[in-house]
Amino acid sequence: MLRVTIDNITIEVEEGTTILNAARKIGGKIVPPAMCYYSKLKGSGGKCRTCLVKVATTSELDPRPLPKLVPSCSTLVQNGMHVQNITSEQVLQERKAIVEFLLINHPLDCPVCDQAGECDLQNLSYEHGLEETRYEEERREFAPVNFGEKIKLHMNRCILCYRCVYAAEQITNERVHGVLYRGDVAEISTFVENFIDNDFSGNIIDVCPVGALTDRTFRFKNRVWFTKAMDAHRDCEKCSGKVVLWMFGDEIYRITGRKDEYGEVEEFICNDCRFENKNVSDWIIEGLRKIKRSSVISQNHYEKLTKQSIIKPIEGKMEQQE
Amino acid sequence: MGRKILLEKINISGIESFDIYRKSGGYSAVEKALKTMTPVDVVEEVKKSGLRGRGGAGFPTGMKWGFIDRKSDKPHYLICNADESEPGTFKDRYLMEHLPHLLIEGMICSAFALEAHTAYIYIRGEFKYLIGILNNALSEAYANGFLGKNILGTTFSLDIYVHPGAGAYICGEETALIESLEGKRGNPRLKPPFPAFVGLFGCPTVVNNVETLAAISPILNMGGDFYSKLGNGKSTGTKLISACGNINKPGVYEIEMGITVEDFIYSEEYCGGIKGGKKLKAVIPGGSSVPVLPADLILKTAAGQPRLMTYESLAEGGFETGTMLGSGGFIVYDEDQCMVRNTLSFARFYHHESCGQCSPCREGTGWQERLLTRIENGEGRLKDIDLLADISKHIEGNTICPLGDAAAWPVSSAIRHFRKEFEFHIQFPEIVKNIRHGNIDKYL
């Protein structure tokens, strides 16, 4: 076991754990935000740079700090490592800058975006973003594209996290889309339009942290914060059948996988469950789902991240430990 | 005349061919290494020489070779990085065009040292004409028993393949190069793990620059100790400098490290002074990605010492008053050059070449270009200068690979040293539109 200290909280983790996963073990506000890392997708992470943290002490053997901020999602913990996330002014400054970078080409069309209310980028910019943008130039623009009958791509909103590429590669039997071109004109695309169609393709909607990939069957039907999230399951040959029904009255508007507090689904579900069974009678309803994430759907209880509100509870925790 | 090591035989006519190269003493290092030395001996010799990577980062080559995982039961690979695409740098293509066998000889010795039996030359796609030259040289080497199975009757076998890239600057970054060589999109990998452990096809791999590999056979011939005495301090040996810009004699020069920058710019042996007798304005000494320095700081350090052509001397003063030797792409600007337009041109390049994988570089490089375009077109505001400096500060150090740094440094250094010019562009757009050059002193 390795001992690692993150924002003055010490925890023991197994060898091969990343800083981010160690922080998630501690939980709470010291967990760095992650837009591209997805624990269930191999190879994901390291791209968005929102989870950058400062390593103040590399290890017991090498007490020097690391010269640059490191991505916590892909940096492994070493014994005696000291990490600063929200206790480092530099980390918070750089995170602000990264959020600004992510937003300069984002259309900020939340009012007409189906992802609004459960969008990682929305949460991230609420917590770490600047109040107004310094960007006055033109934004890149792409026309929306349909990936088959069920999935819509709004490339304007994409932050190129590559999650959908990894998901298609790892959980569907064939990946038919990828990233074309490079730099800020890179786009998620299929070679043949309307092509993504297989039993698990709907999961690329769930892994998308923003509103780039959305469910066409839910498009403009309702806002997520008006719907009621219900855990439910059914017998399914293809997947676990464990889903969340997003209901309004007695009607099922949308079906997704069960997402945890970091926006990751517990189990990937098949397209039959996601798109084809929208009658209440198809499902055994388990009960209301508690949404843990700070988001519009958690009853508008947004809390702004301020230094006092972060550091004070940590100091309390520190004293308890001593 | 300064000492020539790499380009010693450049004037022998027909040196591109195996026979003439062999007659003038070529491939003796291969004989020496394979017949009288062990792989570890060769690594030790290179360590002793103090040779530093010539691709730009200046990392000690012997140390890099020392990292290779010899215990691994996987095959080892050697890759020659011939994806030279840094604006201002054109030394490798000169070397490959005229001395292909020097590179091949160096690669054989290096592969022997690394116990690699397959080596690749990853060459920039635009260097189409060089692919034929290299393939010719390789087939000559095969025909004469210096490549293939049981080289010179020893147990060592080696195959070298030439692989052209598709013209992406990012594929010069070693992990992006490896991805590209594997047939994937050329996105840099996260490090660690470093290629010495997990490289090409997941096997231990060393990636070296053309010039680095070309220096191996002279080092083995003359001995690492002797080589380490050449040059100056930790900058041992000789370095190819590709000089361009407003000078009388642009071209590729081999210098012994330690000559002064002033000597290099003004002496007849090298650049031959500024064209048209104009004044020197600024120099970028190591390819477009290193910080630009104004004339006073490139000729003398902030402490008043003459600036030398070494890794250390050029870096003296950090980024406040120093720069880097980088890849040796020496770009000279005379008094009439506009630093804003020049910075815009670099910013456009890095925006175009960013792979788009990580957000600070993908978004930041484009923002830099758009802001600079506005300033250059006379539509800037004074606060844009600080914004630009702030953007480059946040790209720097926050990206997966060094392209982010490379995109940020030209912009931040230009603002640091030539802020007046940026302000002039913003305050007097009409004048700027008409004069289109950077000699603003007479207007101030």
Side-chain angles (χ1 to χ4, degrees):
Chain A
M1 296 297 267
L2 308 172
R3 280 174 70 80
V4 56
T5 307
I6 302 169
D7 284 340
N8 301 328
I9 304 168
T10 305
I11 186 174
E12 284 203 342
V13 293
E14 277 170 41
E15 207 155 322
T17 309
T18 59
I19 297 174
L20 181 68
N21 281 331
R24 284 184 177 180
K25 260 185 132 177
I26 297 170
K29 286 188 166 169
I30 63 129
V31 183
M35 299 297 287
C36 67
Y37 173 76
Y38 205 83
S39 64
K40 288 160 192 80
L41 298 174
K42 227 181 118 203
S44 65
K47 295 180 172 59
C48 70
R49 316 306 276 182
T50 54
C51 72
L52 289 179
V53 291
K54 189 180 169 75
V55 174
T57 308
T58 309
S59 71
E60 222 167 45
L61 300 171
D62 180 8
R64 289 174 302 176
L66 290 180
K68 289 179 183 176
L69 302 185
V70 297
S72 59
C73 64
S74 55
T75 307
L76 296 182
V77 159
Q78 296 182 44
N79 197 26
M81 186 183 256
H82 281 252
V83 179
Q84 294 175 344
N85 177 25
I86 50 177
T87 48
S88 159
E89 189 59 36
Q90 187 197 355
V91 169
L92 293 177
Q93 282 300 324
E94 295 300 336
R95 193 163 293 157
K96 228 176 213 174
I98 306 283
V99 176
E100 190 179 23
F101 283 138
L102 285 175
L103 290 175
I104 66 166
N105 271 316
H106 190 81
L108 297 169
D109 57 349
C110 308
V112 294
C113 176
D114 278 330
Q115 188 88 0
E118 52 173 15
C119 174
D120 288 348
L121 188 59
Q122 219 175 20
N123 291 338
L124 181 77
S125 36
Y126 196 86
E127 283 176 12
H128 298 284
L130 295 167
E131 264 142 40
E132 56 186 297
T133 181
R134 298 182 291 172
Y135 186 74
E136 297 168 27
E137 326 308 317
E138 269 180 38
R139 291 165 200 261
R140 56 172 197 171
E141 268 182 40
F142 300 91
V145 177
N146 293 333
F147 281 172
E149 279 176 20
K150 311 291 187 197
I151 305 166
K152 189 155 198 109
L153 168 72
H154 281 267
M155 190 57 214
N156 286 350
R157 298 172 186 156
C158 177
I159 58 164
L160 284 165
C161 68
Y162 283 65
R163 275 183 189 177
C164 61
V165 180
Y166 289 112
E169 182 100 28
Q170 291 167 29
I171 59 177
T172 70
N173 49 10
E174 194 185 14
R175 174 165 75 87
V176 291
H177 80 292
V179 178
L180 301 188
Y181 315 116
R182 66 179 178 222
D184 57 4
V185 293
E187 57 176 306
I188 303 286
S189 180
T190 52
F191 289 108
V192 182
E193 225 171 284
N194 292 350
F195 208 74
I196 300 185
D197 185 23
N198 60 58
D199 285 345
F200 285 85
S201 62
N203 287 299
I204 64 173
I205 301 169
D206 275 356
V207 298
C208 183
V210 294
L213 292 165
T214 48
D215 185 340
R216 284 187 74 193
T217 64
F218 180 61
R219 191 168 160 76
F220 301 146
K221 294 263 164 65
N222 209 327
R223 309 286 344 209
V224 283
W225 57 89
F226 292 139
T227 59
K228 204 163 45 171
M230 305 291 275
D231 279 342
H233 67 267
R234 68 184 268 266
D235 280 332
C236 178
E237 289 170 356
K238 292 175 183 161
C239 68
S240 68
K242 291 179 183 166
V243 300
V244 177
L245 308 177
W246 299 83
M247 300 176 67
F248 189 75
D250 285 337
E251 222 179 311
I252 299 173
Y253 272 77
R254 181 176 69 145
I255 299 167
T256 67
R258 295 182 181 180
K259 291 188 185 178
D260 64 12
E261 59 189 305
Y262 304 113
E264 295 185 10
V265 293
E266 288 162 12
E267 275 163 291
F268 292 111
I269 59 167
C270 69
N271 284 9
D272 281 357
C273 290
R274 185 187 304 272
F275 299 122
E276 308 297 344
N277 293 281
K278 294 223 172 157
N279 294 319
V280 182
S281 57
D282 297 334
W283 298 96
I284 300 156
I285 292 178
E286 296 163 21
L288 206 63
R289 180 167 184 86
K290 197 169 176 255
I291 308 290
K292 287 182 199 153
R293 285 192 295 155
S294 63
S295 172
V296 180
I297 36 181
S298 48
Q299 289 84 47
N300 298 324
H301 284 160
Y302 261 130
E303 274 178 64
K304 183 132 191 170
L305 202 72
T306 59
K307 244 183 124 182
Q308 278 69 27
S309 69
I310 303 155
I311 293 167
K312 279 209 176 125
I314 293 168
E315 283 171 348
K317 261 195 179 171
M318 250 176 80
E319 281 158 22
Q320 277 172 23
Q321 284 199 335
E322 283 163 8
Chain B
M1 286 287 278
R3 177 185 279 272
K4 303 283 175 270
I5 293 176
L6 297 170
L7 304 185
E8 192 189 352
K9 298 168 194 159
I10 194 89
N11 291 327
I12 302 175
S13 93
I15 193 72
E16 314 76 70
S17 75
F18 178 86
D19 292 336
I20 299 197
Y21 182 76
R22 181 81 174 121
K23 261 182 216 147
S24 50
Y27 285 100
S28 54
V30 174
E31 286 178 321
K32 186 175 175 187
L34 265 58
K35 289 188 172 157
T36 66
M37 297 168 87
T38 65
V40 177
D41 288 344
V42 179
V43 176
E44 284 309 311
E45 209 57 38
V46 174
K47 272 187 188 165
K48 266 190 237 164
S49 74
L51 176 69
R52 293 169 68 168
R54 302 296 196 225
F59 191 81
T61 306
M63 203 193 281
K64 193 175 193 176
W65 289 8
F67 292 145
I68 191 117
D69 188 4
R70 284 187 198 273
K71 285 184 208 126
S72 164
D73 50 7
K74 290 178 182 165
H76 298 176
Y77 290 105
L78 170 71
I79 301 172
C80 168
N81 184 347
D83 194 68
E84 179 181 56
S85 17
E86 176 107 340
T89 310
F90 44 88
K91 63 187 176 65
D92 294 343
R93 97 174 155 199
Y94 182 77
L95 205 58
M96 288 186 287
E97 184 177 351
H98 298 285
L99 291 161
H101 283 289
L102 183 67
L103 172 64
I104 294 168
E105 186 182 2
M107 283 185 75
I108 300 171
C109 300
S110 311
F112 174 71
L114 298 162
E115 298 174 82
H117 299 289
T118 310
Y120 296 92
I121 301 173
Y122 185 94
I123 191 162
R124 178 180 173 188
E126 286 92 334
F127 289 169
K128 252 188 186 143
Y129 71 107
L130 290 179
I131 298 172
I133 295 175
L134 286 172
N135 276 331
N136 269 344
L138 284 175
S139 52
E140 283 177 327
Y142 271 107
N144 288 283
F146 280 94
L147 281 174
K149 283 217 166 2
N150 300 75
I151 297 170
L152 299 177
T154 63
T155 54
F156 181 68
S157 307
L158 176 68
D159 288 307
I160 299 181
Y161 303 95
V162 180
H163 182 97
Y169 173 70
I170 189 63
C171 290
E173 198 276 341
E174 59 177 8
T175 54
L177 187 158
I178 289 171
E179 287 277 300
S180 168
L181 198 53
E182 286 180 3
K184 299 177 191 151
R185 185 185 162 86
N187 279 358
R189 293 179 182 170
L190 291 167
K191 286 182 272 189
F194 288 93
F197 293 92
V198 184
L200 185 64
F201 307 119
C203 303
T205 304
V206 165
V207 185
N208 280 132
N209 178 256
V210 172
E211 192 190 340
T212 315
L213 290 170
I216 300 299
S217 46
I219 286 173
L220 294 183
N221 280 332
M222 67 174 70
D225 279 329
F226 186 83
Y227 189 87
S228 73
K229 290 193 185 82
L230 305 172
N232 184 304
K234 280 186 180 165
S235 303
T236 61
T238 61
K239 170 103 187 73
L240 294 184
I241 304 287
S242 51
C244 62
N246 308 112
I247 45 177
N248 283 321
K249 289 161 61 187
V252 177
Y253 297 102
E254 181 170 15
I255 58 156
E256 186 171 339
M257 283 204 264
I259 67 166
T260 63
V261 174
E262 191 168 1
D263 216 25
F264 185 71
I265 298 175
Y266 290 103
S267 77
E268 274 310 305
E269 190 185 343
Y270 301 114
C271 302
I274 310 296
K275 209 167 182 187
K278 288 184 183 171
K279 269 200 306 199
L280 173 69
K281 178 174 190 173
V283 171
I284 296 176
S288 63
S289 42
V290 309
V292 59
L293 280 188
D296 52 335
L297 282 174
I298 190 71
L299 297 177
K300 285 202 163 65
T301 64
Q305 298 294 315
R307 185 87 71 180
L308 309 178
M309 296 288 281
T310 63
Y311 290 98
E312 291 77 24
S313 177
L314 283 168
E316 203 179 310
F319 279 178
E320 281 306 307
T321 59
T323 175
M324 283 162 78
L325 180 57
S327 60
F330 198 87
I331 312 172
V332 180
Y333 298 92
D334 72 22
E335 55 190 326
D336 282 344
Q337 301 311 311
C338 171
M339 293 322 284
V340 178
R341 186 130 46 106
N342 175 63
T343 312
L344 166 62
S345 146
F346 287 160
R348 187 186 298 130
F349 174 80
Y350 288 109
H351 174 209
H352 184 251
E353 296 296 345
S354 166
C355 79
Q357 192 182 198
C358 60
S359 23
C361 174
R362 177 184 66 233
E363 307 295 349
T365 50
W367 196 355
Q368 282 190 159
E369 190 204 329
R370 278 165 233 139
L371 266 179
L372 278 162
T373 310
R374 213 147 48 78
I375 295 175
E376 166 69 13
N377 291 340
E379 290 154 14
R381 271 156 298 179
L382 280 176
K383 64 173 186 180
D384 290 340
I385 303 174
D386 286 327
L387 177 59
L388 199 55
D390 197 53
I391 296 167
S392 64
K393 198 179 100 196
H394 290 305
I395 301 174
E396 186 188 337
N398 288 343
T399 54
I400 296 176
C401 80
L403 194 140
D405 300 342
W409 291 339
V411 174
S412 57
S413 62
I415 296 175
R416 191 180 307 127
H417 299 297
F418 298 97
R419 199 184 180 96
K420 245 195 205 160
E421 228 167 290
F422 284 83
E423 286 168 356
F424 185 81
H425 265 252
I426 290 163
Q427 286 163 333
F428 305 102
E430 286 312 311
I431 301 179
V432 171
K433 263 181 201 162
N434 293 329
I435 61 172
R436 286 282 175 192
H437 64 65
N439 198 347
I440 58 168
D441 286 344
K442 47 191 151 183
Y443 297 96
L444 288 174

